Amino acid sequence: MKEVNSILSEYGTTIFTIMSALAVKHKAINLGQGFPDEDGPADILDEAMLATKNESNQYPPMMGIPELRQASAAHSKTFYDIDVDWETQTIVTSGATEAIAACIFGLIEPGDEVVLIEPLYDCYLPIIRRAGAIPRLVRIAPPNWELPYQELEAAFSEKTKLILFNTPTNPAAKVYTRSELEYIAGLVKKYDTYAICDEVYEHLVYDGRQHIPLMTLPDMAERCIRISSAGKTFSMTGWKVGYSIGAKKLIEAASKAHQFLTFTTPPNLQKAVAYGLKKDIAYFKDLGTDMQAKRDRMSRGLTKIGFEILDSQGTYFLAADYKPLGFDLVDVDFCKNLTIDAGVAAVPFSAFYQDGKDSGVNHFIRFCYCKRDEIIDTALDRLDKYFSSN
Ligand code: PMP
Ligand code: GLN
């Protein structure tokens, strides 16, 4: 029989699925895949139930229900003073993942180049390659994950169609600074490209740092699309409701793909997310404050055990170096052993690189800390016991 698609079949199963399955099999605490262990606000859940019961469950509009599109535009105005026309500059997708895919499929011509920054979220490369684009990868490196300006510029050329990047960053937990963003904006303009900005962790930023959408920088509004998702903002990762705003031309391009990918997103969930986006500013602030406390709890515990912990400036994640604990296994094996023998699952850093073996970081693992305090404490206890006796 004929072969299936060679690019996608190369990839196997995602690391999140592999580690979650291993965690279930060995009854490990799952600090691998990034999901909170408690659902988000009860009133948002109620809204979804009411909408399911009292409103239409048939196809909603292809671009998203007006309430959510308006709420997403208003949310960007409130937090970043971004002005968009909700009718032409917003779109609702089935998660940020679909928004990313729709942007890529809507914008890329085979042979175009796309600039990416490693470590990167797992879906970027397969989608870009499947769309026929050529990835140009630049790396940020631990411990500070600073943007290497010259290397970044070297990755741009007249063939560059766009840069796809993520801030706050999964898995490095870096929050891009204004000067880094200004540098990126300069290149986007100089090489006449677009920017797809994955901002799903926009409200999970710590220690007084600020999330800055690239779109707010001079001349960027007409070149950017800014993607967010209810998964992270309302702690409902299973809902897969994404909402994006951006230049009219880019939203239109993404919609051309979205109409053939999923066409639409469940109307009850859209309604509930629209309700959620109208919450008081305090809700969004508290989300970050609460998560920062969890980060600190996890970070203190892991440091005591002997891991070297890098600064987690945002997101759900901590990068932990296990070399100081005296292990020289590669990160994939280390994570498997930890899940099976210590009862705690994490994710190997090398999974976030095109070529994990050559990442230079395969002694780092990613722990997810968006869990109840007692779960964090139990995981730390298990790790403490394991490393005290190994
Ligand atoms: N981008 C990043 C950086 C992520 O970590 C995730 C996973 N939550 C996504 C996109 C996907 O978001 P969604 O679940 O809304 O598709
Ligand atoms: N975004 C989540 C993470 O980084 C996982 C999403 C998924 O499992 N596809 O852990």
Side-chain angles (χ1 to χ4, degrees):
M1 282 197 282
K2 288 180 181 155
E3 295 299 329
V4 298
N5 180 258
S6 59
I7 293 175
L8 294 179
S9 56
E10 237 175 63
Y11 282 96
T13 304
T14 83
I15 192 67
F16 309 118
T17 301
I18 289 174
M19 293 313 302
S20 286
L22 202 64
V24 170
K25 183 167 171 202
H26 295 278
K27 299 192 170 50
I29 295 176
N30 191 352
L31 306 182
Q33 192 177 32
F35 61 90
D37 62 349
E38 288 178 300
D39 287 343
D43 55 344
I44 300 184
L45 295 171
D46 287 343
E47 276 296 306
M49 280 194 291
L50 286 173
T52 311
K53 212 139 188 260
N54 301 331
E55 296 185 34
S56 166
N57 287 285
Q58 308 310 323
Y59 296 127
M62 186 270 280
M63 295 296 281
I65 63 168
E67 291 99 310
L68 178 50
R69 300 180 68 200
Q70 286 158 4
S72 130
H75 171 265
S76 282
K77 175 73 182 168
T78 305
F79 283 93
Y80 313 112
D81 201 23
I82 298 174
D83 284 298
V84 288
D85 166 22
W86 72 268
E87 288 190 90
T88 55
Q89 293 186 265
T90 66
I91 186 168
V92 176
T93 54
S94 292
T97 311
E98 198 221 339
I100 293 162
C103 288
I104 299 290
F105 291 134
L107 287 167
I108 288 300
E109 214 48 72
D112 283 347
E113 294 191 1
V114 173
V115 175
L116 297 156
I117 300 169
E118 281 186 317
L120 37 65
Y121 186 54
D122 73 334
C123 72
Y124 296 178
L125 273 169
I127 296 173
I128 283 165
R129 293 181 58 218
R130 188 65 188 87
I134 299 154
R136 294 284 173 222
L137 293 157
V138 176
R139 281 186 186 170
I140 49 175
N144 297 323
W145 309 107
E146 280 151 2
L147 193 64
Y149 288 162
Q150 278 162 11
E151 285 166 40
L152 187 66
E153 169 137 29
F156 278 77
S157 73
E158 72 284 357
K159 293 194 200 128
T160 311
K161 178 59 92 42
L162 59 94
I163 176 171
L164 164 55
F165 82 109
N166 169 223
T167 183
T169 307
N170 177 9
K174 166 193 174 69
V175 175
Y176 278 79
T177 63
R178 183 172 291 280
S179 31
E180 288 173 324
L181 292 166
E182 280 168 355
Y183 192 78
I184 294 174
L187 295 178
V188 166
K189 211 172 156 195
K190 180 170 172 187
Y191 291 92
D192 184 21
T193 73
Y194 300 110
I196 302 176
C197 309
D198 177 348
E199 302 179 23
V200 297
Y201 299 99
E202 61 181 321
H203 294 296
L204 296 167
V205 173
Y206 315 129
D207 307 312
R209 285 189 182 78
Q210 236 199 317
H211 168 67
I212 307 169
L214 185 69
M215 206 177 156
T216 58
L217 271 53
D219 303 319
M220 286 300 102
E222 71 238 38
R223 295 182 180 273
C224 292
I225 186 156
R226 176 179 118 68
I227 297 170
S228 199
S229 164
K232 306 299 153 12
T233 298
F234 299 114
S235 308
M236 320 275 198
T237 58
W239 276 20
K240 302 294 280 188
V241 179
Y243 39 90
S244 305
I245 65 163
K248 180 169 178 264
K249 179 176 172 183
L250 301 188
I251 294 290
E252 212 170 271
S255 76
K256 293 288 162 70
H258 164 72
Q259 66 182 344
F260 299 128
L261 282 171
T262 58
F263 180 72
T264 192
T265 300
N268 52 344
L269 302 184
Q270 291 195 51
K271 190 80 195 263
V273 173
Y275 167 88
L277 283 174
K278 289 180 210 150
K279 277 186 173 291
D280 288 346
I281 289 183
Y283 166 78
F284 301 91
K285 294 230 180 313
D286 290 350
L287 187 73
T289 311
D290 294 352
M291 203 61 77
Q292 180 176 322
K294 290 180 186 300
R295 175 205 64 177
D296 292 343
R297 193 177 195 96
M298 182 81 116
S299 176
R300 270 196 308 272
L302 290 173
T303 305
K304 228 166 109 197
I305 290 165
F307 284 97
E308 190 168 328
I309 300 302
L310 301 189
D311 190 17
S312 170
Q313 303 176 347
T315 73
Y316 285 162
F317 309 115
L318 264 180
D321 184 352
Y322 54 83
K323 247 198 197 155
L325 284 160
F327 287 78
D328 63 1
L329 287 173
V330 293
D331 57 356
V332 175
D333 294 337
F334 186 84
C335 281
K336 285 189 178 148
N337 289 356
L338 208 62
T339 309
I340 297 167
D341 301 330
V344 178
V347 164
F349 243 75
S350 58
F352 300 92
Y353 289 78
Q354 175 164 257
D355 183 357
K357 286 192 287 306
D358 142 67
S359 65
V361 296
N362 46 16
H363 49 101
F364 281 91
I365 58 178
R366 189 194 81 174
F367 284 106
C368 172
Y369 49 75
C370 53
K371 305 291 173 187
R372 277 172 290 145
D373 289 351
E374 55 270 35
I375 299 288
I376 295 179
D377 292 346
T378 311
L380 289 168
D381 261 5
R382 288 186 182 186
L383 291 171
D384 192 29
K385 286 205 183 78
Y386 176 74
F387 288 109
S388 314
S389 58
N390 278 282

